[in-house]
Amino acid sequence: MPELMNTIMADGPSSNPAQPIKAQMRAWGTWVEDIITAFLSNGGLIYDTRTHLDADLLHDSNSIAWVLGDATVANNGIYRKIGASGTGSWTRVADLPYSFIMASDAGAGSPNAIVATSSIPVPAADGGALIVFSVFEANTALPVTVAFNGGTPLTIKTSSGANVVAGGLVAGMVIAGYKSGATFRLLTDQVSAAIQAAAEAAATRAELAAASVDKAATGRFSTEFGFVDDGATNNDAAWVAAKAALTHGERLVMVKKVTGIFYFATTSDFTGVPIDATANPTFTGPNVYNDRTQAQKVANDPAVTVVGTGELLFNSTALLTTFQHHAEPVDKFDFLTDGDVAYDEPTVVDMNTATMLKFAWPNGNTTSAAATGISKATNLINIDWSTADLTTLIFAGIVPEPGCQYSWVCGYNAADTGYVVLAYEGGYHAVYAAVGGDMVHKKLTAAATFTETSVFSFGDGLAAQTEAGYTLTKASMTVDMLTPTKYAIGMNGVIIASGELAKPALYIGPGVYRPAAGAQVSNFQNIIKTRNPTRLAPRPVRALFVGDSKMDDIMIGWPRDIARVMQGSMGTQWESSKNIALAGATLADQLTAILAQVMTGYTDVFIGLGTNDTQVGTASSTFATNFALMLDQALIAGAKVTVLLTPAFYDRANAVTYGGLGQNSGGSSAVPVYREIIRRVVATYRDAGKAVAIVDAGKILGPTIARYLTWNADQNRVDLNVLDNIHETRSARTKIAHACARAAYGLSSPKRTSGVKTMLALTSVGGTVAAAATAYLGSYAAAAALSSAITIPYAGVAKNLRCLASVVPGAGQSYTYTLMVNGVATILTCVTGAAVLVGADTLNMVAVAAGASLSVRVVNSATGAVATHQCTVEIDPT
C-alpha cells in the first residue's frame, strides 16, 4: 500500500510547504486504479440505495457491491456479502474510493461555524479525500469551524497551520482541503485580500479594546449594524438590522464610542438577542420598557437577555422609569462553613422500656394501659391481633427529650391503620393512614373535639399516595421534637406534617388501629433516638409569588433567585412556582388576584407589596384588613407565608436633586406607617401560631437615601443596592433572595430548644410542716400558694420534680408534693411513703408561661412527722 494522502500532502519545505512529491502521487493513483479494477472483475455490483442492496441477497459470500446514490449519505460506500447466496446480509467495509468530493455550504450554519453537505460521505481517515466547497458568507471571528454531513466540527487551518483570521473567508470564495485530525487543512494560505481584512479587523479590535469591551467568540459589534451612542441618533433601524442578522444566538456587543447612550424613537421590544452589556450601555427613548410588556409576559415571551460583566440601563423618557439589567449571577460556591457541620448522635432506644398505651378511637383523649397480646424485645414490639385490644389506638409510648429526633419503621397488615402519635395531658396529635391509603393529620384537643386535614403527597399535590415507599405504613417515620411542644413529622427524612401541642409531649411513638380480630401480628421496629440531629428536609416546594414590582419578574432572575438559593439547600426540591405579582399593583389588586387562585398544593407563598398603596394613599384600616385577608387565603391550604417588608424609599424629586432619575412617585414619608401595619399583622398571626415570617429589606440593604444615588454621565453610583428611588438593583435582590430563603426555612423547621436549663429550688427554710397541715414551698414555707412563690421570667417546661424531707413521715403516713403554677395544681406530683425521705416525678411535664409564679404544695398526712422540706424542679426554656 502506498503512503496515505495525509502523508503525501503534509507540509513540505519552508520555501514551498504545499508542494507534494509527484512519485508518491503517482503511486497513490495506481493503488486507487487497482481497487477499481478489482471491483470490476467481481461483476461490478452497483446500487442506488442501501435498501435495494439489502433486498438482493442472491450473491455468494464475499461478493463486493457499491452503494452510490442513497439519500442518507452515510449509507453510500463499499459493502461485502456475508453468508451464502440467498441468505445473510451486506456489511459496509469501506468508503467509496473517491479522491475528490464536492461539498455545499448553503448557509445552514453561521459565519464562524460552517455547516456543509455532500452526496458522498467524507472519509473518516485523515487525507482520505480532497474536499472543495464555496463559502456562503464571510467569517467574522476566529477560529472558524466546518462540519460535514452533521459530523464533528473541524477547525479550519491554513496550509501553514494558522487559524483563518476574521474576514479571511469571503462570500463566494472556493476553498479546498482535507481532514487532518480535528482540523480541516486548506491547500493554500489566505490571499492578500484576506490579510487586508485581517488588518482591518485587528484595528477594530484595538478600538474596542480601548473602550473596554470584551467581545465573545460569537459576538457581533453594534457598530456593524449602524448603532450610534450619542443619545440623540435614532437606532431603531440598527436594532432591526441586528435582530435580523443575529439568528443563531450571537451576542450583540454594545460598543461605547461617544456616551454609551443609545436612543430609540419607537422600539420597545429588546428581546430575542443576547445583549453584551460589558460597556455599561443605556437604552433610552419614549417606549423603552423595563423588560417585557404585560402582554408579552402573559404570552410567556422570552425576557431581555443580558450577558457580560456590565449592566444595561433602560431609561424610559415617557414613563419616567429607569430599570437595570444584569447577567444571571454565578452559581453557589462549593465550600462549607462552621454552620454546615453535622453533629448527629444516634442512640438505641430499648423498646422494653416503652409504655404500651391506648386511646379510645376516635374520640378518646385519655390513655390507659395496653397489655393484652403484646410482647417486647430490645428492638421489637409485637401485637398479636388474636388477643390484642381491638377498635382502639394502641401505641408504644417513649418519653421524649426536647431537641431530639425519634425514628422507627413498622410492620403492618392489610387491615391495619398506622399511626405516628404525640400524646400530651388531655389530648394527642397524630398522622395516620390505612395501608396504601391517604394520610391524615389529626389534632384531638379534648374528648370528641378534634380537627383533621389531608397530608398531601410529594408527587402531584393531591392526597392520594402513588409510591408504596412513600406511604406511612411502608416508610421510615421520624418525629422531631423541636421544643417540648413543637414538632415535625418526617417520612423518609422529609417533613409531611408539623404542629404545636397544647401542652408538653408526655409520650411519642408508633401506633396501630385494628377493627377486627385476626391471626396476623403487627410490629414496631428499631426505635432510634438522635441528639443534635440534622433537620428534616422540607416538603418539595411549590411556590406562589404575590405582590407588585417587589415580586414581579420584570427584573431578570428575580424572584427566581429564591428558587436558585433554596434548590438543593437542606434537602430542598423546588418543584414549581407561579408568579401573579404585577408591577404597579396595589394590595387590593393583588388580593383580588390571590382570591381567584386555587391554593391547593402550594407549600410556600412569598408576598412583597405596599409601595403603591403608599403612593395612592390607601386608608390604613383598609390596608390592614386587606393584608389579613391575603394572609388568610395564603394559609388556607397549609402553605407557609414569607412577607417581604418593603424598604423606605424617597420621592423622585429628591432623586433629581442629587442627579438621579426614577419613578415619578411621591408619598415616601408614609412608608413607615405601612411597614408597621404589615409588621403588626404578621405579629398577630405569629401570636396565633400561624406560619408567617417577615423579611425586613431595610435590615438587608441599609439606609435608602437620595443623596446616596449620585448618577453621573458614566452611570456610577454610591449606593449599589438602589436602582432608582423605589427599586433595588439586581445584586441587592440576590441578597433579599437569601434572606427570604432563610425566613422560609425558619418556618419549615423552627429553632430548637436551648440546651440551658434552670434548676429551681423551693424550700421551707427553717419552717416545718405539722401533721395534718398544708404548706406552700417557695422562698419560704407559706400558708398560701402565692405568698412565697418564685416568678419565672421566661417561658419554659417544668419537669423532674424531686423532693426531700428531713425525717420520714412514719408508719402509715405520707408527704404529698404538687407543683403549683399561679396557685393552680398541676400533674407534676409525687408522694413519699412511711419510711421514705425522697420522692420524685420524672415522667410528667408542665408548660409555664413567662412571668408565671411557681410553688410546691406539701400535704402532711393526719399523724405524719413534723419535718422541713425542700424541692427542686427543672425549667427548660422554650
Side-chain angles (χ1 to χ4, degrees):
M1 178 178 175
E3 295 285 353
L4 294 175
M5 178 59 74
N6 184 44
T7 303
I8 297 171
M9 300 300 291
D11 293 346
S14 60
S15 60
N16 196 357
Q19 179 65 55
I21 300 174
K22 291 183 175 59
Q24 292 180 339
M25 293 282 287
R26 286 193 294 273
W28 185 82
T30 301
W31 173 67
V32 173
E33 292 173 356
D34 289 343
I35 292 176
I36 295 173
T37 300
F39 166 71
L40 294 174
S41 67
N42 189 53
L45 300 175
I46 298 177
Y47 296 84
D48 60 346
T49 66
R50 170 71 183 271
T51 301
H52 290 160
L53 171 65
D54 290 338
D56 184 5
L57 300 178
L58 297 177
H59 299 279
D60 295 334
S61 181
N62 293 323
S63 294
I64 300 298
W66 288 14
V67 174
L68 296 178
D70 200 304
T72 301
V73 176
N75 288 344
N76 296 313
I78 300 174
Y79 289 79
R80 182 174 66 184
K81 177 65 166 47
I82 305 298
S85 178
T87 63
S89 61
W90 293 95
T91 300
R92 194 180 190 280
V93 294
D95 294 323
L96 293 171
Y98 286 101
S99 60
F100 179 87
I101 296 175
M102 178 62 76
S104 173
D105 173 13
S110 64
N112 307 312
I114 299 170
V115 173
T117 58
S118 64
S119 59
I120 301 171
V122 173
D126 288 351
L130 182 65
I131 307 169
V132 180
F133 64 90
S134 175
V135 176
F136 178 78
E137 55 188 334
N139 70 305
T140 60
L142 60 89
V144 183
T145 63
V146 59
F148 295 102
N149 302 319
T152 302
L154 306 173
T155 302
I156 299 178
K157 298 284 188 179
T158 67
S159 62
S160 57
N163 283 321
V164 177
V165 299
L169 302 179
V170 297
M173 176 186 289
V174 177
I175 60 175
Y178 56 88
K179 179 182 177 297
S180 177
T183 68
F184 180 69
R185 183 65 67 90
L186 301 179
L187 295 183
T188 63
D189 280 320
Q190 293 173 270
V191 296
S192 58
I195 296 174
Q196 179 183 353
E200 293 173 350
T204 300
R205 287 196 299 273
E207 178 183 356
L208 294 170
S212 301
V213 177
D214 180 19
K215 176 179 180 289
T218 57
R220 299 282 296 276
F221 298 119
S222 59
T223 51
E224 298 180 46
F225 305 102
F227 282 89
V228 179
D229 62 320
D230 59 3
T233 301
N234 182 13
N235 288 285
D236 287 340
W239 174 259
V240 171
K243 194 164 184 178
L246 306 181
T247 58
H248 298 286
E250 304 97 326
R251 300 180 177 195
L252 175 60
V253 183
M254 304 310 298
V255 179
K256 180 181 178 182
K257 301 187 75 173
V258 186
T259 64
I261 300 175
F262 298 84
Y263 174 75
F264 298 88
T266 61
T267 304
S268 60
D269 179 7
F270 294 95
T271 63
V273 175
I275 301 173
D276 191 317
T278 301
N280 296 313
T282 295
F283 285 8
T284 185
N287 297 313
V288 172
Y289 199 70
N290 49 20
D291 181 23
R292 291 164 290 173
T293 65
Q294 188 61 25
Q296 287 175 315
K297 288 177 58 181
V298 171
N300 290 320
D301 290 343
V304 172
T305 301
V306 176
V307 295
T309 59
E311 60 196 30
L312 171 61
L313 187 71
F314 279 2
N315 175 30
S316 173
T317 57
L319 300 176
L320 299 178
T321 61
T322 53
F323 213 82
Q324 188 177 41
H325 296 272
H326 291 261
E328 288 285 351
V330 297
D331 292 336
K332 288 177 276 190
F333 292 106
D334 292 326
F335 60 81
L336 302 179
T337 65
D338 229 10
D340 299 314
V341 179
Y343 296 101
D344 294 53
E345 300 176 20
T347 183
V348 172
V349 173
D350 185 350
M351 296 179 67
N352 284 304
T353 64
T355 303
M356 298 305 298
L357 300 166
K358 60 185 178 181
F359 281 104
W361 181 262
N363 297 320
N365 71 319
T366 58
T367 59
S368 57
T372 306
I374 295 172
S375 60
K376 297 180 182 178
T378 301
N379 64 337
L380 180 69
I381 295 175
N382 285 324
I383 303 173
D384 185 345
W385 293 113
S386 62
T387 57
D389 295 321
L390 301 173
T391 66
T392 62
L393 167 54
I394 298 175
F395 71 101
I398 303 296
V399 178
E401 178 182 343
C404 295
Q405 287 178 358
Y406 296 81
S407 58
W408 58 79
V409 69
C410 299
Y412 293 108
N413 298 289
D416 293 347
T417 298
Y419 287 79
V420 175
V421 181
L422 299 95
Y424 62 92
E425 182 188 2
Y428 66 87
H429 289 191
V431 169
Y432 71 89
V435 174
D438 301 342
M439 291 185 292
V440 176
H441 191 189
K442 180 174 182 175
K443 299 178 181 179
L444 187 141
T445 55
T449 303
F450 60 88
T451 60
E452 293 187 335
T453 56
S454 295
V455 176
F456 298 110
S457 70
F458 298 116
D460 54 12
L462 303 176
Q465 298 293 327
T466 55
E467 298 181 35
Y470 274 87
T471 58
L472 186 147
T473 52
K474 299 288 186 181
S476 170
M477 303 305 298
T478 300
V479 173
D480 192 347
M481 291 306 302
L482 299 162
T483 73
T485 56
K486 293 181 180 179
Y487 65 88
I489 298 175
M491 172 185 289
N492 296 333
V494 181
I495 294 174
I496 59 170
S498 59
E500 184 170 8
L501 306 175
K503 297 179 180 180
L506 299 176
Y507 298 99
I508 64 170
V512 63
Y513 171 85
R514 179 81 170 210
Q520 295 94 351
V521 174
S522 302
N523 56 65
F524 310 140
Q525 306 168 27
N526 296 321
I527 299 181
I528 302 297
K529 171 183 176 181
T530 302
R531 293 187 177 92
N532 304 315
T534 301
R535 292 173 180 262
L536 295 169
R539 292 183 58 84
V541 175
R542 302 180 184 123
L544 178 67
F545 294 98
V546 182
D548 50 29
S549 56
K550 298 299 182 183
M551 282 295 171
D552 196 341
D553 58 357
I554 55 177
M555 179 172 285
I556 296 175
W558 173 263
R560 297 189 302 274
D561 283 344
I562 301 176
R564 182 180 61 84
V565 171
M566 294 182 68
Q567 174 69 3
S569 298
M570 297 175 63
T572 301
Q573 290 292 334
W574 190 284
E575 281 193 357
S576 63
S577 57
K578 181 177 182 179
N579 195 336
I580 62 172
L582 179 62
T586 63
L587 174 55
D589 296 331
Q590 281 292 281
L591 177 60
T592 300
I594 194 173
L595 289 175
Q597 296 294 312
V598 177
M599 299 302 297
T600 301
Y602 287 116
T603 62
D604 292 82
V605 177
F606 295 89
I607 300 174
L609 41 68
T611 300
N612 296 307
D613 290 276
T614 301
Q615 296 184 67
V616 302
T618 303
S620 298
S621 58
T622 302
F623 187 84
T625 299
N626 287 344
F627 186 58
L629 291 173
M630 178 172 285
L631 292 183
D632 290 339
Q633 177 70 354
L635 294 164
I636 194 169
K640 302 181 296 295
V641 182
T642 301
V643 178
L644 175 61
L645 191 61
T646 182
F649 69 86
Y650 44 86
D651 297 344
R652 186 172 188 269
N654 295 331
V656 172
T657 299
Y658 290 95
L661 297 173
Q663 300 281 358
N664 190 15
S665 59
S668 64
S669 60
V671 172
V673 174
Y674 291 87
R675 279 171 52 89
E676 296 316 308
I677 291 173
I678 293 173
R679 202 192 306 268
R680 180 177 179 82
V681 173
V682 170
T684 301
Y685 276 70
R686 284 302 293 262
D687 288 343
K690 304 294 185 180
V692 183
I694 194 165
V695 174
D696 190 339
K699 294 180 180 179
I700 302 163
L701 304 179
T704 305
I705 302 174
R707 63 187 175 84
Y708 286 176
L709 184 64
T710 56
W711 282 343
N712 55 31
D714 294 326
Q715 303 301 317
N716 294 321
R717 292 192 310 279
V718 172
D719 187 354
L720 298 180
N721 289 318
V722 180
L723 172 64
D724 57 24
N725 53 309
I726 293 179
H727 299 100
E728 303 82 21
T729 60
R730 180 71 178 82
S731 59
R733 295 206 179 199
T734 301
K735 301 174 189 176
I736 294 173
H738 279 269
C740 289
R742 291 193 296 268
Y745 283 129
L747 290 174
S748 63
S749 188
K751 185 178 179 181
R752 296 185 182 280
T753 300
S754 169
V756 178
K757 298 180 180 181
T758 298
M759 185 73 73
L760 191 64
L762 305 110
T763 178
S764 59
V765 187
T768 58
V769 180
T774 298
Y776 294 90
L777 312 181
S779 54
Y780 58 90
L786 299 178
S787 296
S788 65
I790 297 176
T791 300
I792 300 298
Y794 52 82
V797 173
K799 64 179 184 179
N800 294 334
L801 174 66
R802 292 182 171 88
C803 301
L804 173 66
S806 59
V807 296
V808 297
Q813 302 303 305
S814 64
Y815 303 135
T816 302
Y817 304 90
T818 303
L819 179 69
M820 310 292 288
V821 177
N822 296 327
V824 178
T826 70
I827 60 172
L828 207 56
T829 183
C830 62
V831 179
T832 59
V836 179
L837 288 173
V838 178
D841 182 350
T842 58
L843 177 61
N844 294 304
M845 294 182 286
V846 175
V848 293
S853 297
L854 274 61
S855 59
V856 172
R857 182 181 66 195
V858 55
V859 178
N860 196 347
S861 58
T863 59
V866 177
T868 60
H869 303 268
Q870 57 184 13
C871 299
T872 61
V873 63
E874 294 178 15
I875 310 294
D876 283 341
T878 56

